[in-house]
Amino acid sequence: EVQLVESGGGLVQPGRSLKLSCTASGFTFDDYAFHWVRQAPGKGLEWVSGISWSSGSIHYADSVKGRFTISRDNAKNSLYLQMNSLRAEDTALYYCAKDIRPVYRTSPFDSWGQGTLVTVSS
Amino acid sequence: SYVLTQPPSVSVAPGQTARITCGGSNIGTYSVHWYQQKPGQVPVLVVSDDSDRPSGLPERFSGSNSGSTATLTINRVEAEDEADYYCQVWDSSPEYHVVFGGGTKLTVL
């Protein structure tokens, strides 16, 4: 059974940093690309970033480019999101999502974690 | 940047057919994916690549895509289908990124 478990969320002041983690199990982690998708309270889905199986392809939404860094450790079956210079508008539930392919181009996300809540407030 | 437009809400009686649209410029040239998100739950893929249904999903769910509109169709709607539905595509201009529609709240009357 595919399992994705996010952690690392919490309350943080504007301008500070936070690092999210997603630990995967139940499948071969390095066979797939991964993504972070967020959802602000009561709002829709917003893609944040994606990373291919080898970390050779990485992309970001304009809203986080230059502030967030996605990474993965295939030996630890883990995905990460380093979030710097956080803003109030980054407040959201952050989901880890598994791609159906090792390199994304047009593919959907077939498994999602339960999410970890990030609240940016003073 | 590319924009996907969905109606905020669609209402349908049980047993009827629900059609949820997703509009975008030449969306027919994109691969469209659809997700269902029930209250308090995580999104679930219900249609991929315009019209493919993941294994285990009811055959009542289907999709189509042509011209400027992609459509998710739910036949014989049941109360359990009440949820938010999101369409999604990949855009490569100027760099690869995902675009989600704003979401449609399906209400089963």
Side-chain angles (χ1 to χ4, degrees):
Chain A
E1 178 193 4
V2 172
Q3 282 202 329
L4 301 171
V5 179
E6 301 93 337
S7 61
L11 174 63
V12 61
Q13 293 180 328
R16 305 298 290 265
S17 299
L18 206 59
K19 186 173 185 177
L20 307 183
S21 300
C22 171
T23 302
S25 61
F27 61 98
T28 304
F29 183 74
D30 54 9
D31 276 352
Y32 300 97
F34 276 85
H35 307 269
W36 288 100
V37 178
R38 68 186 181 183
Q39 188 169 33
K43 302 297 184 181
L45 302 174
E46 179 188 15
W47 177 82
V48 173
S49 180
I51 185 169
S52 64
W53 72 278
S54 65
S55 304
S57 184
I58 288 176
H59 293 86
Y60 299 96
D62 286 344
S63 58
V64 306
K65 198 173 294 183
R67 299 188 299 124
F68 290 10
T69 302
I70 191 172
S71 63
R72 62 189 292 166
D73 185 336
N74 288 343
K76 295 183 178 180
N77 288 354
S78 294
L79 174 74
Y80 306 101
L81 186 68
Q82 176 68 45
M83 303 186 296
N84 298 333
S85 303
L86 282 161
R87 306 167 180 168
E89 54 264 36
D90 295 319
T91 294
L93 185 62
Y94 284 73
Y95 293 106
C96 164
K98 173 182 164 291
D99 202 289
I100 69 167
R101 301 191 181 104
V103 179
Y104 50 81
R105 286 296 180 265
T106 63
S107 43
F109 312 149
D110 65 348
S111 296
W112 300 60
Q114 291 297 314
T116 186
L117 182 62
V118 173
T119 303
V120 183
S121 175
S122 54
Chain B
S1 62
Y2 196 71
V3 175
L4 295 175
T5 301
Q6 297 182 238
S9 63
V10 168
S11 299
V12 64
Q16 299 303 303
T17 297
R19 294 180 179 85
I20 299 172
T21 59
C22 177
S25 178
N26 292 319
I27 195 174
T29 63
Y30 292 76
S31 289
V32 179
H33 316 300
W34 291 92
Y35 300 88
Q36 174 196 67
Q37 187 178 31
K38 296 181 180 180
Q41 298 187 22
V42 303
V44 173
L45 180 67
V46 293
V47 167
S48 63
D49 293 321
D50 299 339
S51 58
D52 290 342
R53 192 175 53 251
S55 60
L57 261 291
E59 293 184 8
R60 301 183 294 104
F61 288 82
S62 63
S64 63
N65 184 20
S66 179
S68 61
T69 305
T71 303
L72 173 68
T73 301
I74 309 172
N75 293 314
R76 302 179 301 282
V77 167
E78 301 177 1
E80 67 178 22
D81 299 330
E82 186 162 290
D84 292 325
Y85 291 85
Y86 297 90
C87 57
Q88 176 238 315
V89 301
W90 279 92
D91 188 26
S92 58
S93 178
E95 296 182 355
Y96 278 102
H97 62 282
V98 168
V99 181
F100 282 103
T104 298
K105 169 67 175 177
L106 175 65
T107 299
V108 181
L109 301 171

